[in-house]
Amino acid sequence: MTAIVDFLNNILWSYVLVYGLLGVGIFFTIRLGFLQFVNFNEMVRAIRGSRESDVHGISPFQALCTSLASRVGTGNLAGVAVALYLGGAGAIFWMWMVALVGMATGYAESTLAQLYKVRDGKGQYRGGPSVYISKGLNAPWAAVIFAICLILSFGLVFNAVQANSIADAMQGAFGIPKLWMGIAVAIFAGIVIFGGLRSIVRFAEFVVPFMAGAYVLVALGIMAWNITEVPGVLIAIVKSAFGLEEAVGGATGSITAAMLNGIKRGLFSNEAGMGSAPNIAATATPAPHHPSSQGLVQAFGVFIDTIVICTATAVMILLSGVMGPGSELTGTRLTQAAMEAHIGAAGGYFVAIAILFFAFTSIVANYTYAENAVIYLGAGNNLGIGLLRVAALGMVVWGGYEAVVTVFNTADASMGLMATINLIAIALLSGTVVKLTKDYLAQRKAGEVPHFKSKDYPELHEKIDSNIWH
């Protein structure tokens, strides 16, 4: 079993997804006319008008915060440190590149999730890749595989990974036993999760801006204190990406190492193309009332995750000087050592608390994705949802004190399979994405508030719920 899982991971993550996610991102960037650059102001406008909702859906801002809760996790702290250790400063440049093209992929998948969304038994909007794969491509078998993989990876095992990161950080900083930390995290996560979707998104709406803002403000303060050195760090990142700068720390310093590690860590961090964020994007009531508006909001989420938060971590580490020749520090310990170099012993505590917030919000957001998949599979009754909640919280407790590599590798393989299915689906549905984008931008250019009119899309009449778009 271990050999099969390792083989699948090697194929999926060394070849299919590294190049597939990047290739699909470039494909959508070109096909959408470099939307994320030319119409970046439209993304900002979509965020500004995203506070309203209705009885059927959550607000676009709540959907953004929930997707950011999943995206902004330990990868933004420990993952960036690993990329620096293995690929050198140049890895950050490639994280930027994968995020910039990933914004187009994130836009496409969330736009499709909005278009094909349905109402569940309680009238709440639901959707995501399983729905647009089933309805848009008439491939329910692929949609079922995607949903099962999503439940396994995001709903169960990745929550154990996040809990393990919290327990490690809190034990190292404060000496709290890992088992008790896992139990405490499960209790607080249960309070949020058992409140249902609206409880989760309200929690995310409050906590995510606070946690991300506090972390970025500290990083900006460090940069301001070392402002004369910041330009040199940014130049070093670009030079190292092309092998023009000598590597530091444990990095190999090759262009290939910088590129592969930057791309991998960037993809793990922002999740663009993975098919995760569309599950929450589909539950929003878009403002303006057009599928593309929610796509623009989620594309901005990719920008915040990687270009803002990951860059803040990277620059802070590179400014600290802790990645000296022969340094073996990596992961969370490298980030903590860098923060301690800047602000003293309090830096280690700050990173531990940041990981607590980042990983905890990932746990509750990942659960919403799994719940969406369970509802799609027809098990959205009290028993089905109850079993999912118990299993998810049980994995949190288990992950707090146990780290079984084979199980985590299985989740990686599961996520790799679901991402592959999603990439194929959105590429096949790209014509619909292009038509929606042109429609939205044309209405903006005419001075109108964009509004989706299903009568203009006769080819979709049997595939979408037109009543939703009245």
Side-chain angles (χ1 to χ4, degrees):
M1 179 65 182
T2 301
I4 293 172
V5 169
D6 289 345
F7 173 76
L8 281 174
N9 275 328
N10 182 54
I11 296 297
L12 288 171
W13 289 105
S14 296
Y15 302 99
V16 176
L17 289 176
V18 167
Y19 300 106
L21 282 161
L22 198 59
V24 171
I26 294 171
F27 168 74
F28 274 107
T29 296
I30 295 172
R31 189 139 196 222
L32 295 174
F34 298 87
L35 174 79
Q36 67 269 46
F37 306 108
V38 177
N39 299 104
F40 186 82
N41 64 322
E42 193 59 40
M43 294 181 189
V44 176
R45 179 189 284 186
I47 297 293
R48 287 205 308 263
S50 64
R51 291 284 188 166
E52 296 181 2
S53 63
D54 61 20
V55 295
H56 301 294
I58 63 177
S59 75
F61 184 73
Q62 288 174 326
L64 172 65
C65 288
T66 307
S67 67
L68 278 174
S70 176
R71 285 188 172 113
V72 179
T74 54
N76 296 78
L77 283 80
V80 171
V82 170
L84 285 170
Y85 177 79
L86 295 176
I92 306 306
F93 175 85
W94 296 109
M95 287 184 76
W96 293 342
M97 294 302 102
V98 79
L100 291 174
V101 299
M103 290 170 71
T105 312
Y107 164 83
E109 61 183 356
S110 290
T111 296
L112 288 169
Q114 266 290 308
L115 175 67
Y116 288 99
K117 68 185 179 184
V118 295
R119 291 193 185 106
D120 64 16
K122 298 179 181 178
Q124 170 71 53
Y125 292 141
R126 296 285 181 175
S130 290
V131 177
Y132 61 68
I133 290 170
S134 177
K135 291 180 173 290
L137 297 178
N138 194 29
W141 60 270
V144 169
I145 294 174
F146 179 92
I148 293 172
C149 288
L150 179 65
I151 294 167
L152 174 63
S153 53
F154 281 83
L156 301 177
V157 181
F158 287 160
N159 279 347
V161 176
Q162 298 290 350
N164 191 263
S165 297
I166 293 174
D168 276 342
M170 299 306 283
Q171 184 183 54
F174 304 104
I176 301 173
K178 296 177 72 172
L179 175 60
W180 290 111
M181 195 67 227
I183 293 172
V185 171
I187 290 172
F188 284 105
I191 292 172
V192 179
I193 287 171
F194 274 90
L197 177 64
R198 291 189 182 272
S199 171
I200 293 170
V201 299
R202 282 195 297 269
F203 170 81
E205 183 181 27
F206 173 76
V207 174
V208 170
F210 166 75
M211 74 171 190
Y215 183 76
V216 171
L217 280 175
V218 170
L220 287 175
I222 291 171
M223 286 186 233
W225 187 258
N226 301 276
I227 191 62
T228 57
E229 299 174 46
V230 171
V233 167
L234 297 176
I235 291 171
I237 288 173
V238 177
K239 283 185 174 181
S240 297
F242 300 98
L244 302 176
E245 185 87 5
E246 186 177 351
V248 295
T252 62
S254 71
I255 299 175
T256 303
M259 182 181 295
L260 288 180
N261 284 287
I263 291 172
K264 284 181 180 180
R265 300 329 305 178
L267 294 174
F268 267 112
S269 177
N270 63 53
E271 299 179 13
M274 294 288 186
S276 51
N279 288 277
I280 196 66
T283 67
T285 300
H289 203 60
H290 193 288
S292 289
S293 66
Q294 183 59 24
L296 290 165
V297 168
Q298 293 299 328
F300 194 72
V302 177
F303 179 86
I304 294 172
D305 173 86
T306 306
I307 304 300
V308 177
I309 299 177
C310 287
T311 300
T313 299
V315 173
M316 184 267 296
I317 291 174
L318 292 171
L319 283 171
S320 70
V322 296
M323 285 186 63
S327 172
E328 293 298 321
L329 289 174
T330 187
T332 302
R333 187 69 196 103
L334 174 56
T335 307
Q336 285 181 313
M339 192 67 80
E340 287 169 357
H342 289 298
I343 62 176
Y349 301 138
F350 178 81
V351 171
I353 293 171
I355 286 177
L356 171 64
F357 275 98
F358 283 22
F360 183 83
T361 54
S362 290
I363 288 171
V364 296
N366 288 348
Y367 166 79
T368 65
Y369 298 164
E371 182 180 277
N372 206 44
V374 166
I375 290 172
Y376 173 78
L377 293 174
N381 51 34
N382 290 337
L383 176 61
I385 297 299
L387 288 174
L388 174 65
R389 289 170 177 172
V390 171
L393 296 175
M395 289 296 285
V396 168
V397 175
W398 176 79
Y401 69 92
E402 192 77 47
V404 179
V405 174
T406 300
V407 176
F408 293 161
N409 286 345
T410 302
D412 282 342
S414 176
M415 184 174 71
L417 180 59
M418 80 179 224
T420 302
I421 293 171
N422 184 57
L423 287 175
I424 294 171
I426 62 175
L428 292 175
L429 293 169
S430 61
T432 300
V433 178
V434 171
K435 184 175 180 179
L436 287 166
T437 307
K438 289 180 177 178
D439 177 32
Y440 182 93
L441 295 176
Q443 291 186 57
R444 276 290 189 212
K445 190 174 181 180
E448 303 171 6
V449 175
H451 193 88
F452 178 78
K453 305 175 184 68
S454 58
K455 63 181 177 59
D456 295 336
Y457 297 79
E459 71 277 13
L460 298 176
H461 280 180
E462 300 300 318
K463 298 181 178 182
I464 64 173
D465 186 345
S466 297
N467 292 325
I468 287 176
W469 295 105
H470 280 171

